[in-house]
Amino acid sequence: MKTYDDPLLQDIATNLTSSDPGIRRVAVLELVDSGEPEAAELLILALNDPDPSVRQEAAKVVDEFDAADIADALIAALQDSDEVVRNAAAHALADLKDPAAALPLLEALAGSDDPFVVAGILRALKPLRHPQAQAPALARMQHADPGVRREAVAVIGWLKQPANLPALIERAQHDADADVRRAATGALVYAAPEQVGPALIGILRDEHWQVRVEAAVSIGKLDYQAALQPLVEATHDSFWQVREKAVDALGKLGAVGAIPALGVCARDPMSNLRKAAIGALGAIAHNDGRPFVELAMDDPDPDVRKLARWAMSKLDAAA
């Protein structure tokens, strides 16, 4: 065993060789408090401990350290025999956000076919926005595993390259997995409204309600005025969550023509939808919305009444 000049670090190193996994687990926690650069190499050793609880603890605290070898150790831990350790390593890799980890991640991505490993590496690459991640991520948008496709979509979305829009639109419209379609729909918001707006209008009619929610949210973020009528139609969706986000988007669009539909939503039995409608009417701040806001001043929900007072102040200021 290597010896260390720092007495505390030496004690921790000794405890990491204990036959008691409980002592080794506590030693991992003590590594975080040591503040010594050499603690990182002990942490990497702990990621290979024979006990899964020790390996899991090491993966959970790894973001406290800066070391080039940590990324490699975590990539190896993605193939751990224990599922809990694999999940902890995947989360730790995503939290690492170290630019120096990009090349080891890309090398590991090129050499792995395991869907869990590939998805974990893609998730770690996403916040790094490394240009070399584009080609492998685009390729894996066609992967058989939906978890891999979802992470690949996220990488492409974060790179924000106009040339990737057709591939993202294809996933958003036609992927067999609703979670992938939802991720791709949310990733479209870096584009110009006219580039992706027509596709988002179509996605407002997706068979899965969460995808429709994402489409409404994305339209609101993009301020795509041509979507006014489709959003009004979405205020009649069978899922209140879709109706709520459509109402939010109409408020962001400042859609005066949608005020009658918003007035209907302001009287909906679902209080969340009433709040969204009153918020939208306040954001639009057009006098045609005043009667609906006045009615909401007596709403049974205190949050709706509070929002109605705010909306009334916006209407008065506009008047």
Side-chain angles (χ1 to χ4, degrees):
M1 181 180 70
K2 178 180 175 179
T3 57
Y4 296 90
D5 294 333
D6 182 84
L8 173 60
L9 204 58
Q10 183 60 51
D11 287 343
I12 294 172
T14 301
N15 288 339
L16 283 172
T17 63
S18 169
S19 60
D20 185 339
I23 292 176
R24 300 200 302 274
R25 184 171 176 271
V26 171
V28 169
L29 297 175
E30 290 173 341
L31 281 173
V32 179
D33 298 326
S34 71
E36 293 293 328
E38 292 176 301
E41 62 188 54
L42 289 172
L43 179 70
I44 291 170
L45 291 175
L47 282 167
N48 294 286
D49 191 274
D51 188 273
S53 68
V54 179
R55 300 197 301 274
Q56 179 190 4
E57 201 63 58
K60 286 166 61 177
V61 302
V62 75
D63 59 348
E64 300 287 338
F65 296 85
D66 295 315
D69 294 336
I70 284 180
D72 291 328
L74 285 173
I75 291 167
L78 290 175
Q79 302 179 71
D80 195 278
S81 59
D82 187 277
E83 182 180 3
V84 175
V85 177
R86 293 197 300 273
N87 287 328
H91 286 295
L93 264 177
D95 290 339
L96 202 56
K97 298 176 183 176
D98 181 1
L103 291 181
L105 287 166
L106 288 165
E107 290 172 6
L109 184 61
S112 179
D113 293 321
D114 184 306
F116 183 86
V117 174
V118 171
I121 292 171
L122 287 169
R123 192 180 310 122
L125 281 168
K126 178 183 72 173
L128 301 182
R129 292 188 171 96
H130 197 285
Q132 290 183 34
Q134 176 169 295
L138 280 171
R140 283 162 178 81
M141 283 171 64
Q142 308 290 334
H143 198 279
D145 186 273
V148 172
R149 297 200 302 275
R150 185 170 61 249
E151 298 300 340
V153 159
V155 170
I156 293 301
W158 277 51
L159 287 172
K160 298 183 178 181
Q161 295 299 309
N164 296 331
L165 285 174
L168 282 175
I169 291 172
E170 172 66 21
R171 289 299 101 199
Q173 291 178 322
H174 302 300
D175 197 277
D177 185 85
D179 285 338
V180 178
R181 297 198 303 276
R182 181 184 181 189
T185 299
L188 292 173
V189 295
Y190 71 83
E194 61 273 10
Q195 291 177 300
V196 297
L200 289 171
I201 288 175
I203 297 167
L204 276 175
R205 296 187 291 273
D206 190 274
E207 65 182 8
H208 197 284
W209 69 269
Q210 288 182 314
V211 182
R212 301 196 299 274
V213 163
E214 200 65 49
V217 171
S218 295
I219 289 171
K221 289 179 178 178
L222 289 169
D223 191 21
Y224 186 52
Q225 294 292 326
L228 191 154
Q229 187 54 40
L231 285 172
V232 169
E233 293 170 7
T235 64
H236 302 290
D237 195 277
S238 56
F239 280 80
W240 70 264
Q241 295 94 331
V242 180
R243 301 199 300 274
E244 178 188 26
K245 296 308 178 185
V247 165
D248 284 343
L250 287 166
K252 289 181 170 67
L253 267 58
V256 175
I259 287 176
L262 294 174
V264 172
C265 293
R267 300 190 297 273
D268 192 271
M270 181 69 63
S271 63
N272 280 0
L273 189 56
R274 298 200 303 276
K275 283 189 285 187
I278 297 303
L281 289 168
I284 295 169
H286 190 278
N287 204 51
D288 287 356
R290 187 178 293 272
F292 306 116
V293 176
E294 287 175 344
L295 284 174
M297 300 287 275
D298 296 319
D299 193 277
D301 188 305
D303 289 336
V304 178
R305 296 197 301 272
K306 180 180 179 180
L307 203 55
R309 292 192 294 272
W310 168 83
M312 190 62 74
S313 71
K314 299 289 286 184
L315 283 163
D316 290 341

